[in-house]
Amino acid sequence: MAVNWLQTGLAKRDLQDMEGALDALERAVALSPTNPTAAFAYAQVRFETGRDAVTAFERALALDPANPHVIRTYAAAYAAEGDAARAQTILLDTLTQHPQWLDGHKSLATLRVAIGQRQSFDESYRRAIAALPGSLSLRLAHLHLLQTAQAWEEARTHLAQAHQALGPSRGLEVARVSIESESGGPLSRDPHLFDALKDWADPGLDLCRVRHALRLGQPEAALARAKPYVSTPHARLFWPYVSLCWRLLGDPAADWLDGVASEHVRAIDLGLNGVELSALADDLRALHTAQAPYLEQSVKGGTQTDRQLFFRPIPSIQHVRAKIQSAVANYLAGLPPPREGHPLLGPPRDKPILFEGSWSVLLQAGGFHRVHTHPMGWISSALHIELPDTAAAGPAPAGFLSFGEGPPELELGLGPTHHIAPKAGTLVLFPSTHWHRTVPIAAGERLSLAFDIRQPI
């Protein structure tokens, strides 16, 4: 029976065997040079593995010129190969023809932030709205971008313009309460802020309601709103807030969720010697080409690499990937017994270890990660590669991983449950639902590698 190389390549990609996927898809393209699916998949895997991909995307685009996914990744390939101007031109030209292409607007805004053009990052949204002032979807997408960027005054201005152009709507009211609740303005502690939407249930809106209730010092109300979601596909957005509520209420269920005495957090020496750490550091630094972190990232005062780090066929990275997979398997084997419904202990542990994401972070003086969780992951991590010396970093806990602090903007008064001092070559694994941050360093640079393990089904 003849091998279906396209299906083989896609299956290997799903299992994150990227080199096997590339080989199979190259065969698929050779056998079916006019198959647009094969051409796109081959170009995509070249891009995902850090290879030159522009030429492959040009072939895919010739076969499927109107496919927005091809166009978006084609532009990303140009940016990755150092031609951000060409990437912007591709996106802008397409947006001129299709001004309601929301993914295209977001891609362009993300690119501009990464290359240091923050002042014009939302320009394409503004142009599109000027051309299509009656488009609610465009206005809502623009407002969401501004909220993500915490550009609160701009968000209020554009919200007022949207109201004037479109009149009242449920979507604009959701945007209004979200902006007022999260911006720290005079309405951020208004107990009646959400009254006009009291009959509307929506995960994003309810997450905002949970945060608002916590901000008002009402953990019981926040818990009542969050708890129903822990048995839904949105559970990983809400579990961290359930943890905060239980801790504020003194409920022993907090120990059931987060573990007693940090039992769910492990520091593991990967056994990397100085030569291996130095080679890895050199290879990672070469990948830090962005000028600023992306809007949705927790990084402040540093940069983060793009695409899946562990998909790149760089020997030092593949070497550490193998060590990490072994360490994760040992971590899973050492966890407490399964607990039904638990976000860490409930899922099966006998499935392949797959990465939801993998990246490197380079923090400069004063750099840190703000308090956050990883809602797309099951198990998260930090592997320190290079650290400033103690004198440069500053007195402890400068540079430490800190767990358990709630988001500072909610003013909950919950301090850290524990700290872990960073050490080069030591991998820290912890549940993705745990609140965590890095304490700023005073001087020097801090190079690390991180990843999320995908929750198995």
Side-chain angles (χ1 to χ4, degrees), residues 264-427:
H264 298 163
V265 180
R266 305 279 172 82
I268 303 164
D269 185 347
L270 288 186
L272 296 166
N273 61 40
V275 173
E276 291 170 325
L277 283 170
S278 178
L280 181 59
D282 290 344
D283 289 333
L284 292 178
R285 285 178 179 277
L287 299 177
H288 280 274
T289 57
Q291 300 298 308
Y294 298 115
L295 291 176
E296 296 173 340
Q297 294 171 346
S298 65
V299 177
K300 300 295 179 183
T303 58
Q304 184 167 312
T305 56
D306 68 341
R307 291 170 283 177
Q308 274 261 35
L309 183 69
F310 288 157
F311 289 177
R312 293 177 180 268
I314 298 172
S316 66
I317 292 173
Q318 291 306 311
H319 176 63
V320 78
R321 174 183 175 176
K323 284 182 171 289
I324 282 169
Q325 286 178 303
S326 177
V328 171
N330 290 333
Y331 170 83
L332 291 173
L335 286 175
R339 297 176 189 170
E340 185 176 357
H342 193 282
L344 174 67
L345 306 177
R349 307 180 196 177
D350 57 351
K351 305 292 184 181
I353 294 171
L354 299 177
F355 297 97
E356 187 62 36
S358 52
W359 58 93
S360 172
V361 173
L362 178 61
L363 295 178
Q364 310 291 339
F368 64 98
H369 288 83
R370 67 177 187 271
V371 175
H372 65 293
T373 66
H374 292 230
M376 298 302 292
W378 176 37
I379 298 163
S380 295
S381 65
L383 171 60
H384 299 96
I385 310 300
E386 281 188 351
L387 299 161
D389 60 38
T390 303
F400 283 28
L401 279 172
S402 176
F403 293 91
E405 295 174 80
E409 66 273 14
L410 300 184
E411 299 181 5
L412 302 179
L414 290 174
T417 54
H418 55 290
H419 288 107
I420 292 183
K423 182 180 179 182
T426 296
L427 172 67

Side-chain angles (χ1 to χ4, degrees), residues 42-380:
Y42 174 65
Q44 183 78 13
V45 171
R46 287 194 65 86
F47 174 71
E48 290 171 339
T49 56
R51 292 174 165 89
D52 292 346
V54 166
T55 301
F57 274 113
E58 287 173 346
R59 289 196 296 266
L61 200 60
L63 296 170
D64 195 4
N67 188 324
H69 302 297
V70 178
I71 296 169
R72 179 171 56 82
T73 324
Y74 175 44
Y78 260 112
E81 293 176 31
D83 194 345
R86 177 60 180 152
Q88 291 189 67
T89 298
I90 292 167
L91 293 170
L92 284 168
D93 287 350
T94 307
L95 287 166
T96 299
Q97 300 175 49
H98 304 283
Q100 297 199 82
W101 182 31
L102 301 184
D103 282 347
H105 286 294
K106 184 177 180 181
S107 294
L108 181 57
T110 299
L111 171 62
R112 284 185 165 174
V113 169
I115 62 176
Q117 295 181 3
R118 176 66 182 264
Q119 72 283 357
S120 62
F121 80 112
D122 67 333
E123 180 185 4
S124 70
Y125 288 90
R126 296 171 186 258
R127 289 184 180 180
I129 289 168
L132 297 170
S135 173
L136 177 61
S137 61
L138 260 175
R139 291 184 182 272
L140 291 177
H142 186 212
L143 289 169
H144 184 266
L145 178 81
L146 293 173
Q147 291 179 73
T148 302
Q150 298 186 349
W152 302 117
E153 291 311 311
E154 292 95 328
R156 288 191 179 93
T157 297
H158 285 280
L159 178 63
Q161 293 172 355
H163 273 299
Q164 185 175 8
L166 302 176
S169 74
R170 182 66 61 87
L172 290 177
E173 179 62 11
V174 170
R176 183 188 76 83
V177 299
S178 178
I179 290 167
E180 295 302 341
S181 178
E182 295 292 340
S183 63
L187 297 179
S188 64
R189 295 183 181 274
D190 181 355
H192 302 293
L193 180 61
F194 290 81
D195 285 359
L197 296 166
K198 62 183 178 181
D199 296 327
W200 195 27
D202 171 83
L205 180 62
D206 281 337
L207 189 65
C208 194
R209 285 182 172 119
V210 168
R211 288 173 56 85
H212 195 69
L214 286 170
R215 195 180 287 111
L216 294 175
Q218 300 172 354
E220 298 94 340
L223 182 61
R225 184 70 67 174
K227 192 75 182 297
Y229 280 99
V230 301
S231 57
T232 74
H234 306 286
R236 293 193 169 275
L237 286 171
F238 288 89
W239 271 122
Y241 291 96
V242 170
S243 170
L244 296 176
C245 293
W246 280 339
R247 288 174 63 197
L248 289 166
L249 294 168
D251 193 319
D255 288 340
W256 172 88
L257 176 60
D258 295 333
V260 179
S262 314
E263 64 180 332
H264 298 163
V265 180
R266 305 279 172 82
I268 303 164
D269 185 347
L270 288 186
L272 296 166
N273 61 40
V275 173
E276 291 170 325
L277 283 170
S278 178
L280 181 59
D282 290 344
D283 289 333
L284 292 178
R285 285 178 179 277
L287 299 177
H288 280 274
T289 57
Q291 300 298 308
Y294 298 115
L295 291 176
E296 296 173 340
Q297 294 171 346
S298 65
V299 177
K300 300 295 179 183
T303 58
Q304 184 167 312
T305 56
D306 68 341
R307 291 170 283 177
Q308 274 261 35
L309 183 69
F310 288 157
F311 289 177
R312 293 177 180 268
I314 298 172
S316 66
I317 292 173
Q318 291 306 311
H319 176 63
V320 78
R321 174 183 175 176
K323 284 182 171 289
I324 282 169
Q325 286 178 303
S326 177
V328 171
N330 290 333
Y331 170 83
L332 291 173
L335 286 175
R339 297 176 189 170
E340 185 176 357
H342 193 282
L344 174 67
L345 306 177
R349 307 180 196 177
D350 57 351
K351 305 292 184 181
I353 294 171
L354 299 177
F355 297 97
E356 187 62 36
S358 52
W359 58 93
S360 172
V361 173
L362 178 61
L363 295 178
Q364 310 291 339
F368 64 98
H369 288 83
R370 67 177 187 271
V371 175
H372 65 293
T373 66
H374 292 230
M376 298 302 292
W378 176 37
I379 298 163
S380 295

